[in-house]
Amino acid sequence: MLKLKKGVLLIDQHDKNYMYGGKFGGNFIPETLKKPIEDLTNLFGRLRYDKNFIKERDYYFKNYVGAPTPFIKLENLTKHLGGAQVYAKVVSKANGGAHKIYNAVVHALICKRAGKKYIVGDTGAGYAGKMLSMAAKKFGLKCKIFMGAKDIKRQKPNCDAMRKNGAEIVPVYSGSQTLVDAVSECMRYWVSNCDTTHMAVGSTVGPNIFIKICAWSTAQISRELIVQLKEEFGGVPKKLKLINCVGGGSSAAGFWNEFIDYNKSQVELIGVEAGGPKNSKLHAAPLTFGSKIGILHGAAQYVIQDKDGQIGETSSISAGLDYPGISPLHCFLKDTKRARYTSASDEEALQAYKLVSKLEDLSPSLEPSHAFAEAIKIAPKLSKDTIICVNSCGDAKKDRAIITKRLGFFR
Amino acid sequence: MISKINLAFSQCKKENRPALLTYTVAGDNTKKKSLEILNAIAPYVDILEIGIPHNTPVADGGQIQTSAYRAIKNGIKVKDIFKIVKQFKKNNLNKPVILMGYYNTIFQLGERSFLKHCKRSDVDGLIVVDLPWPENKNFANKCKKQSINFIQLLSPTTSDIRMKNIIKDSHDMVYYISMLSTTGGRLKVSAKEILKNYNKIKKINPKQNVVIGFGITEKTISSLTKADGLVVGSALCKTISGALSRGTNPVRTAENMVKKLRSKII
């Protein structure tokens, strides 16, 4: 069995070929990208230990992103479920309404340090794109966002925000017209423009350096949480469950970062993938349904594919989770058995949204609604001294049309 | 033993011209048609590259994507591609064939099994777009043991030291990517600039066969005839797509285009 190293950040647990556990990650990239990726690897390798850079990051996280985001008890939901105490880390209160802001700000800061004026990125739910457009505006960078044509239709509010921030949205019509094609198209654009342009991959996927930058950025979530847990409970609770949705896996990687070294009997990490429509064979849950390892967007990972290695079609009500692969970091956490992965269907996510928004002053987007679905499932069976914390990593405003259509209301 | 790829280059050198390499996608638009296209263009081509269609091709532009998606939609499987090569080789025994694709295809079949299939169908070389040096060393050695050429790519972003290392670990041919672009981009750098980089590579090892690809069309090909070889891919795929959408015969259209290309480099 694969083993995690204690005292080493998860993102740094790779070998010289940038593979985690010898199986996941790496840099399966065209020759043209070798140099820009090496340059970025060196630059970030320096910056992450540069006191001034850290100071700058922390300044913008505090004064622009709005750190720390709230950690609240969901009293009514807890009472309703009648088991574990349910809390939420309301990351959706961050500027822009989701965790994608951390990665976007860090990429914009790196882009400036690299002396580049153009920044490009991919987006699924539109949050990564919206945040990158915000950060680009803030730091005076020209921004292009690649987005699947299907996602442009279903996530209109975020598209409007991107345009308002002065970003150009490039619709991607190839393949399934969702996130997977947006990432491919963005990488292609970077192949052609890597001399002038910085690329920000929107999640903990892609060539290794992008996984590192993203997880390093979202780690802010767990740095805040550990302080908040100590304030609330005087320490990390004896029975804690951290539940997070996983698509690419960026918010979960950040939510769990500080807790990896804890014994799993104390801090259990639970990832919830998109199970897709209840009566469909399609899903976006490669870990739950035992997909094989393959190469997608430059990295080896569990990925939905056929036996010829063609990437498979996915389906999820949540654009942000609608991705056939998953971060090599999560593949590694699964195979080391540090985290447990399960899935929630579209319908379960909708029901979770309904219950949470009814009982609490909280309107989680469809992505974290998957995580709430799991919390709702397990909380009643758990003891009262168990603490469940759900990362409510996105706000439902972008999903207004879908939720209204499916549930007949929106809160 | 001298490889067929090497023989093809020496023959072209004797004729004092660059080798003409084509790239078409296996199974585009059907298995049968793609074989017919290969057979029709072969007399005018020195080395044939055959693309293994993949549905998330991060280094391919619109033209090759269109061809690849069409081939996949029409049901092409990896094992059919080996059948196509085998059939082609029946009539074109000495014509070198290079398969070009992405590593996931090889990874899913298994490196050993993939090479066994290559050997059985008489594939001469492989280009794996997303398996760069040094990660490719292990697989490249496996290819060498099977007398299959592992062909590496060099690009305008490749550093000098890296270039030396790649060439040191190269087999009978290397592929220089003319510009920062996916396949099928408009040639955005001058022939002079491309040849400057090309000469840099030749200087490291004058005996190495170096071909230039990306952005090569009927219009641009004659400006680069100093190279050992020139690859035309997207332009050919575009022509095939055009014929298909007009309802004309893609086999004849492709053949005519390749004839024209050939006439421009003699």
Side-chain angles (χ1 to χ4, degrees):
Chain A
M1 199 182 95
L2 295 184
K3 273 212 164 94
L4 283 158
K5 284 181 219 137
K6 290 236 176 196
V8 181
L9 274 184
L10 182 62
I11 55 171
D12 293 327
Q13 300 205 15
H14 55 71
D15 59 21
K16 67 176 186 351
N17 289 326
Y18 298 97
M19 302 288 276
Y20 298 96
K23 288 160 79 174
F24 307 113
N27 286 315
F28 296 86
I29 49 172
E31 174 64 23
T32 303
L33 291 185
K34 267 280 177 182
K35 175 81 168 45
I37 281 183
E38 193 185 296
D39 290 348
L40 184 58
T41 304
N42 293 337
L43 177 63
F44 180 67
R46 269 201 318 274
L47 290 177
R48 64 185 280 202
Y49 301 110
D50 176 336
K51 279 192 190 118
N52 287 327
F53 186 75
I54 302 283
K55 229 165 94 183
E56 205 180 355
R57 176 198 70 179
D58 291 344
Y59 173 83
Y60 288 109
F61 277 4
K62 182 158 180 275
N63 299 300
Y64 176 66
V65 174
T69 58
F71 170 66
I72 57 168
K73 183 166 185 193
L74 305 177
E75 299 271 5
N76 299 330
L77 187 65
T78 299
K79 210 182 282 169
H80 176 86
L81 296 172
Q85 311 296 307
V86 186
Y87 285 73
K89 173 78 175 144
V90 193
V91 173
S92 58
K93 289 281 185 208
N95 192 6
H99 66 284
K100 298 287 186 193
I101 191 70
Y102 302 108
N103 188 43
V105 166
V106 169
H107 269 291
L109 290 174
I110 293 172
C111 180
K112 276 183 82 83
R113 296 281 178 129
K116 291 181 172 174
K117 289 193 180 69
Y118 301 92
I119 196 162
V120 293
D122 58 79
T123 196
Y127 271 136
K130 177 183 163 187
M131 309 305 178
L132 197 63
S133 72
M134 281 167 57
K137 189 177 170 192
K138 172 99 187 151
F139 297 105
L141 303 164
K142 289 276 270 180
C143 179
K144 250 190 223 294
I145 302 294
F146 292 82
M147 188 170 186
K150 182 178 167 189
D151 290 337
I152 292 178
K153 266 191 212 132
R154 61 175 165 170
Q155 307 279 228
K156 188 172 174 299
N158 279 345
C159 296
D160 294 343
M162 282 181 247
R163 292 195 187 97
K164 215 180 103 203
N165 291 327
E168 180 194 344
I169 302 175
V170 183
V172 179
Y173 296 103
S174 58
S176 61
Q177 311 194 357
T178 59
L179 179 58
V180 64
D181 309 291
V183 179
S184 300
E185 196 59 31
C186 188
M187 283 180 81
R188 287 183 201 113
Y189 182 86
W190 200 43
V191 169
S192 302
N193 298 280
C194 55
D195 49 347
T196 57
T197 304
H198 177 77
M199 178 171 77
V201 176
S203 188
T204 39
V205 299
N208 181 261
I209 187 59
F210 295 103
I211 294 172
K212 274 192 166 172
I213 293 174
C214 185
W216 185 83
S217 309
T218 54
Q220 172 69 15
I221 303 168
S222 60
R223 273 197 300 274
E224 292 174 11
L225 180 61
I226 210 155
V227 174
Q228 290 164 326
L229 285 171
K230 282 173 187 164
E231 278 166 8
E232 177 84 10
F233 304 106
V236 174
K238 289 278 169 289
K239 288 183 214 164
L240 177 65
K241 296 186 189 298
L242 299 178
I243 309 183
N244 207 125
C245 59
V246 282
S250 61
S251 75
F255 191 48
W256 297 345
N257 185 65
E258 300 288 316
F259 299 93
I260 305 282
D261 280 355
Y262 282 78
N263 197 314
K264 73 175 169 188
S265 60
Q266 183 183 0
V267 183
E268 192 185 15
L269 311 175
I270 304 168
V272 187
E273 297 185 297
K278 198 171 60 186
N279 295 318
S280 161
K281 279 194 179 131
L282 295 179
H283 57 84
L287 296 182
T288 307
F289 296 114
S291 299
K292 281 178 65 182
I293 299 174
I295 317 294
L296 174 63
H297 296 142
Q301 62 201 275
Y302 291 113
V303 55
I304 297 167
Q305 58 179 331
D306 69 11
K307 67 178 193 345
D308 267 8
Q310 305 292 0
I311 303 308
E313 200 188 331
T314 57
S315 178
S316 170
I317 191 169
S318 139
L321 305 181
D322 202 355
Y323 185 71
I326 172 125
S327 176
L329 297 175
H330 290 293
C331 300
F332 189 44
L333 288 175
K334 178 176 194 250
D335 276 21
T336 53
K337 298 199 161 65
R338 179 62 189 93
R340 156 173 98 76
Y341 295 87
T342 181
S343 70
S345 68
D346 288 0
E347 289 76 10
E348 287 169 322
L350 282 164
Q351 286 312 311
Y353 169 82
K354 195 173 168 180
L355 188 66
V356 172
S357 65
K358 186 177 126 194
L359 296 175
E360 303 288 344
D361 181 22
L362 193 64
S363 183
S365 68
L366 289 169
E367 289 81 14
S369 290
H370 284 71
F372 278 112
E374 178 66 13
I376 291 164
K377 228 181 269 177
I378 64 172
K381 294 179 251 173
L382 295 169
S383 61
K384 293 216 182 308
D385 62 343
T386 304
I387 309 298
I388 286 180
C389 183
V390 177
N391 181 1
S392 194
C393 58
D395 184 275
K397 275 193 207 92
K398 69 171 180 73
D399 295 324
R400 173 185 280 271
I402 302 169
I403 292 171
T404 308
K405 193 175 158 208
R406 295 290 296 266
L407 295 177
F409 68 86
F410 178 79
R411 281 191 275 256
Chain B
M1 207 177 83
I2 301 171
S3 72
K4 284 176 196 162
I5 290 175
N6 241 337
L7 280 174
F9 281 111
S10 351
Q11 186 59 36
C12 294
K13 271 170 203 148
K14 262 186 226 157
E15 294 172 21
N16 205 14
R17 64 172 177 89
L20 178 61
L21 293 86
T22 53
Y23 170 100
T24 51
V25 173
D28 182 28
N29 64 335
T30 63
K31 290 170 226 171
K32 194 164 157 264
K33 270 282 179 290
S34 64
L35 176 61
E36 280 173 36
I37 290 171
L38 291 171
N39 280 324
I41 63 177
Y44 317 100
V45 178
D46 301 293
I47 298 171
L48 293 106
E49 287 180 16
I50 302 177
I52 305 171
H54 185 51
N55 69 355
T56 48
V58 291
D60 284 305
Q63 305 301 345
I64 290 178
Q65 280 180 55
T66 303
S67 295
Y69 294 148
R70 191 161 52 217
I72 294 166
K73 201 171 145 230
N74 289 341
I76 189 84
K77 297 281 180 248
V78 175
K79 292 197 174 149
D80 300 326
I81 298 171
F82 293 114
K83 280 184 206 150
I84 291 171
V85 178
K86 204 169 180 177
Q87 285 287 328
F88 172 78
K89 285 278 184 149
K90 270 189 189 162
N91 309 321
N92 300 276
L93 187 63
N94 293 316
K95 199 65 85 172
V97 164
I98 294 169
L99 289 184
M100 181 165 182
Y102 291 83
Y103 185 62
N104 200 33
T105 309
I106 298 168
F107 187 63
Q108 294 315 315
L109 200 57
E111 290 183 346
R112 267 185 61 180
S113 173
F114 189 89
L115 289 175
K116 212 154 81 187
H117 279 93
C118 287
K119 205 68 204 156
R120 273 193 208 138
S121 49
D122 199 16
V123 168
D124 299 280
L126 288 174
I127 301 177
V128 189
V129 180
D130 55 351
L131 196 63
W133 189 89
E135 286 90 343
N136 61 25
K137 277 183 168 180
N138 192 9
F139 183 63
N141 283 332
K142 285 186 193 170
C143 292
K144 197 161 198 174
K145 278 191 192 133
Q146 300 288 332
S147 320
I148 291 170
N149 254 276
F150 184 81
I151 294 150
Q152 303 197 84
L153 299 140
L154 295 164
S155 120
T157 57
T158 309
S159 65
D160 290 0
I161 172 88
R162 197 173 152 77
M163 210 171 250
K164 276 184 194 145
N165 283 320
I166 292 173
I167 290 168
K168 188 166 64 69
D169 283 341
S170 278
H171 301 170
D172 296 337
M173 165 182 157
V174 294
Y175 187 132
Y176 178 66
I177 299 168
S178 63
M179 56 179 169
L180 298 188
S181 174
T182 51
T183 54
R186 194 179 54 83
L187 203 59
K188 57 184 179 183
V189 285
S190 66
K192 203 176 140 197
E193 181 76 24
I194 296 169
L195 289 170
K196 201 176 95 190
N197 282 331
Y198 169 86
N199 288 330
K200 210 160 88 183
I201 301 165
K202 288 298 278 188
K203 219 170 155 188
I204 296 169
N205 181 1
K207 283 188 191 141
Q208 181 59 254
N209 298 307
V210 183
V211 305
I212 301 174
F214 285 41
I216 315 279
T217 61
E218 282 178 63
K219 275 194 189 134
T220 56
I221 195 164
S222 38
S223 63
L224 294 164
T225 48
K226 283 201 186 84
D228 294 332
L230 296 164
V231 190
V232 182
S234 293
L236 194 50
C237 290
K238 189 180 170 187
T239 299
I240 293 168
S241 291
L244 287 168
S245 63
R246 283 192 311 272
T248 53
N249 185 349
V251 182
R252 291 287 89 77
T253 317
E255 185 186 349
N256 287 336
M257 182 182 187
V258 174
K259 262 193 222 169
K260 256 189 240 161
L261 288 165
R262 169 99 175 184
S263 71
K264 292 202 170 159
I265 57 162
I266 295 175

